[in-house]
Amino acid sequence: MSLNLEQYVSEFSAQNINGEHLLQLDGSKLKALGITSSQDRAIIKKKLKEMKASLEKARKAQEKMEKQREKLRKKEQEQLQRKSRKADKPSSDATEGSKEQ
């Protein structure tokens, strides 16, 4: 509808074309849906290409954020392990010192 192609809405609805299906449409599938105008198909294909690019960009951004979170988690875990080792070390030194006395 935002592309001023309302005449195809009923056919898309009748064929249960949802967002996932929409992204898989190509020129021949659009033609099979009754979009006979090559100009209309070109408009839809251009918009689909833009949508796919946008989705890919969002997916990559999400992956980048997940990697950053994982890196942060690992760093925090390493810091906790270092603190734990430092906390254990003085107590073992104190024990050894008392044995010597």
Side-chain angles (χ1 to χ4, degrees), residues 29-41:
K29 290 177 184 175
L30 290 169
K31 202 171 192 178
L33 280 169
I35 303 174
T36 56
S37 167
S38 60
Q39 193 174 18
D40 289 352
R41 285 194 307 273

Side-chain angles (χ1 to χ4, degrees), residues 17-68:
I17 303 296
N18 60 20
E20 190 175 322
H21 292 122
L22 185 66
L23 292 173
Q24 296 175 10
L25 296 178
D26 59 12
S28 61
K29 290 177 184 175
L30 290 169
K31 202 171 192 178
L33 280 169
I35 303 174
T36 56
S37 167
S38 60
Q39 193 174 18
D40 289 352
R41 285 194 307 273
I43 291 169
I44 294 171
K45 288 192 295 186
K46 182 181 177 189
K47 189 64 173 179
L48 288 173
K49 186 176 180 178
E50 291 171 7
M51 290 169 64
K52 288 176 185 178
S54 178
L55 284 171
E56 183 64 18
K57 187 176 179 180
R59 184 189 62 79
K60 285 182 179 181
Q62 181 70 27
E63 284 178 0
K64 185 177 179 180
M65 283 185 62
E66 287 173 9
K67 284 180 182 179
Q68 288 174 339

Side-chain angles (χ1 to χ4, degrees), residues 60-90:
K60 285 182 179 181
Q62 181 70 27
E63 284 178 0
K64 185 177 179 180
M65 283 185 62
E66 287 173 9
K67 284 180 182 179
Q68 288 174 339
R69 283 189 199 123
E70 185 60 30
K71 194 174 179 180
L72 243 162
R73 271 190 233 120
K74 284 181 181 179
K75 192 173 182 179
E76 288 173 352
Q77 202 171 27
E78 288 171 2
Q79 287 175 345
L80 285 173
Q81 287 174 349
R82 279 190 222 120
K83 285 181 182 178
S84 174
R85 284 187 215 130
K86 284 181 181 178
D88 289 346
K89 204 171 192 178

